[in-house]
Amino acid sequence: MFATPNALRTLLAAGLLSVATFGPALAADDELTMFKDPNCGCCGKWAEHMRANGFRVKEVATREMDAVKHEAGVPQALASCHTAKVGGYIVEGHVPAADVKRMLAQKPAITGLSAPGMPLGSPGMEGPYAAERYDVVSFDSAGKRAVFARH
């Protein structure tokens, strides 16, 4: 059975309306703002990893990283070199893009994720040395922490 030209126009209009209505909401989760010290090289490498995995990354260089982390609610024990905001969450340090995507898909009741310190072999910290095993930790505003992923 073939659709009439009017039916095709109606379907096309409905499709464009749904893209206009829902497209921006879906795309907002891939917009990531990363705050980093202007002299940090590994932060830029992490941003490249995120871009390679479909995120749009805005890099903001600042010498006020302690203030950024404090305002974002990052526990001192979970601190790393850069702090990012994406989809209403905080991402601290060298968290793999797959973990960020999982968080954004599952939408857990947390403040964010952290890869504490600067684990060797994590995204942005690759090199000729052996990769470390490390945990990505979720955290919330009440201080609750849990292992989100192991690498």
Side-chain angles (χ1 to χ4, degrees):
M1 208 158 159
F2 295 101
T4 66
N6 283 342
L8 289 175
R9 277 193 286 277
T10 301
L11 286 172
L12 179 61
L16 290 174
L17 177 62
S18 68
V19 168
T21 304
F22 298 109
L26 294 174
D29 276 353
D30 67 1
E31 295 174 339
L32 186 143
T33 301
M34 179 187 72
F35 299 88
K36 66 175 192 159
D37 184 279
N39 299 314
C40 186
C42 66
C43 300
K45 290 179 182 178
W46 182 78
E48 289 173 17
H49 164 76
M50 297 305 284
R51 286 183 184 107
N53 283 278
F55 288 89
R56 289 176 287 159
V57 181
K58 177 183 174 187
E59 297 181 47
V60 178
T62 178
R63 297 200 185 282
E64 304 298 325
M65 287 305 300
D66 288 340
V68 168
K69 291 173 190 316
H70 179 74
E71 180 183 314
V74 176
Q76 191 172 20
L78 299 182
S80 185
C81 56
H82 54 267
T83 304
K85 296 180 180 182
V86 61
Y89 291 99
I90 300 300
V91 178
E92 180 68 8
H94 296 270
V95 175
D99 294 344
V100 176
K101 288 180 177 184
R102 184 175 131 214
M103 173 184 67
L104 293 172
Q106 293 177 348
K107 301 203 181 302
I110 60 173
T111 300
L113 299 176
S114 173
M118 298 170 69
L120 298 177
S122 62
M125 292 294 295
E126 300 92 347
Y129 35 76
E132 297 178 312
R133 296 199 52 73
Y134 67 97
D135 292 337
V136 170
V137 179
S138 66
F139 61 95
D140 68 16
S141 60
K144 182 180 176 189
R145 300 173 191 171
V147 174
F148 186 81
R150 293 187 189 275
H151 299 277

